[in-house]
Amino acid sequence: MSKQKPGRKHRTPQKRAPRHPSVPSPRAAAPVLLGDGGLPLRGSLDQTATLLQHAKPDQLVELVLPHLWAALADGRVPANVCVDACMTLRNAYGQLGVRAELLPVDLTVQHKDGGGTRYGSLTPSWTGTSWNGHCVLVLPDSERFVDATVEQFDEIREIGAGPMIGKVTLSTHGDGSMMKPGAQVMLQRGDLVLTYTIAGPDALTSIVEHPEAAAHADGHRRTGVNVASFTLAALRGEGVRGRAMQAPHPRLRALLRAVQDAPYEADEAGDVRFRLADQTGCEQWLRLDEIPLPSTVPAAWPRS
């Protein structure tokens, strides 16, 4: 029998610096990013390193970024963090030239014995500053579906495979949605079958037009830029950069050419900066979104 689990307050998680040779650490102390919590959502740097080693050029950013985000969060993610995570990752993907859009869903987790648990809602709502529902990302250009916080649910976390990423078939509708309301995406995780049912446009509006979204927009962008910075540092690593330069993302390729092997570190505010020479040869510390790129390079997403 299915049961509905109510949402709880969400915040943007703190993150630590990577600790694996394949995911280089910054020169300074680990950055402190927004929020804190205690949900045992633990990503794996080993999983991230494996993806860096084996992912194809068109998969690198899409697969590595959510796994690296989960590893950086390292257990300090509050429950029902899906909205803040999606807002953050939307900005992180966008900085590297990948378009990502929020997709509110209802999720049913079916067990092999026939039992199941339902999370989220087709008609989500807010209780004060808490959003009662579940949210994922869709990457329209690669037709990928990303549930970065799927391991907030106990039975999925026990498997330990990290974020859920799958392929979907998309069609843009007149209302601007990427998938028709009521459409379902079924994905396998161990012995579990995860069925995502797409909520309607009103559910998306309930997120993006709520005062909470506006109040935390700057924080989501800042955190997204920092996550993208760590991802870029990982993608320029030995044995990875060549494939990353073949990725179908002109902005990513331009950033890789711009930063090359420049050192990077986190400043006192927790922002990641690369040390680069300007046009006069003077070195300065620049955030990822401050790095000058040729005018022909596409702008970061989201675009107004």
Side-chain angles (χ1 to χ4, degrees):
M1 181 179 294
S2 296
K3 59 182 179 179
Q4 184 75 32
K5 293 198 174 181
R8 289 168 283 178
K9 187 174 182 179
H10 50 77
R11 291 164 288 177
T12 307
Q14 287 182 337
K15 303 181 176 68
R16 295 178 184 170
R19 299 186 299 272
H20 191 288
S22 297
V23 187
S25 301
R27 291 158 54 96
V32 178
L33 303 181
L34 301 177
D36 59 62
L39 185 74
L41 174 66
R42 296 193 178 277
S44 168
L45 284 174
D46 289 338
Q47 290 175 344
T48 305
T50 298
L51 289 170
L52 286 168
Q53 183 179 0
H54 297 292
K56 297 178 181 179
D58 66 326
Q59 299 174 330
L60 269 170
V61 176
E62 287 91 336
L63 303 188
V64 167
L65 198 153
H67 279 270
L68 183 55
W69 171 84
L72 292 170
D74 195 23
R76 292 180 300 218
V77 182
N80 201 31
V81 71
C82 58
V83 169
D84 289 296
C86 285
M87 292 286 199
T88 294
L89 289 172
R90 184 188 185 209
N91 281 284
Y93 273 122
Q95 286 295 319
L96 301 179
V98 179
R99 181 163 60 112
E101 301 296 343
L102 274 67
L103 191 67
V105 297
D106 177 276
L107 169 62
T108 299
V109 180
Q110 197 77 18
H111 302 262
K112 61 180 180 181
D113 62 5
T117 306
R118 182 184 175 197
Y119 303 97
S121 172
L122 291 177
T123 56
S125 61
W126 289 83
T127 303
T129 59
S130 298
W131 190 71
N132 305 309
H134 189 50
C135 186
V136 300
L137 286 174
V138 63
L139 312 182
D141 299 319
S142 61
E143 296 193 323
R144 285 195 171 91
F145 180 96
V146 179
D147 187 348
T149 64
V150 70
E151 287 195 340
Q152 67 182 284
F153 309 125
D154 294 343
E155 62 269 49
I156 303 173
R157 184 171 61 250
E158 290 175 0
I159 298 173
M164 175 67 79
I165 305 168
K167 292 285 285 185
V168 294
T169 300
L170 303 180
S171 58
T172 302
H173 296 268
D175 61 5
S177 61
M178 289 293 147
M179 299 184 70
K180 184 178 180 180
Q184 292 189 329
V185 175
M186 299 181 68
L187 300 172
Q188 188 85 23
R189 174 62 60 93
D191 291 331
L192 303 176
V193 175
L194 281 63
T195 301
Y196 294 87
T197 303
I198 311 306
D202 288 345
L204 178 60
T205 300
S206 76
I207 299 176
V208 298
E209 294 188 2
H210 194 273
E212 278 291 294
H216 296 288
D218 289 343
H220 291 142
R221 186 178 188 281
R222 172 193 169 200
T223 308
V225 170
N226 288 332
V227 175
S229 298
F230 283 123
T231 305
L232 185 69
L235 294 176
R236 69 180 184 173
E238 183 178 356
V240 183
R241 189 179 187 279
R243 278 176 293 127
M245 288 297 293
Q246 299 174 41
H249 310 302
R251 185 174 181 85
L252 170 65
R253 299 195 300 269
L255 285 167
L256 286 168
R257 287 191 290 267
V259 302
Q260 298 188 49
D261 59 353
Y264 72 111
E265 67 179 31
D267 63 19
E268 293 181 356
D271 292 317
V272 180
R273 298 178 187 274
F274 293 84
R275 189 164 181 80
L276 299 170
D278 61 20
Q279 294 180 345
T280 66
C282 296
E283 291 190 337
Q284 54 185 317
W285 291 99
L286 298 176
R287 285 169 51 90
L288 193 66
D289 55 349
E290 297 172 338
I291 295 174
L293 299 173
S295 59
T296 55
V297 175
W301 297 95
R303 300 171 188 168
S304 56

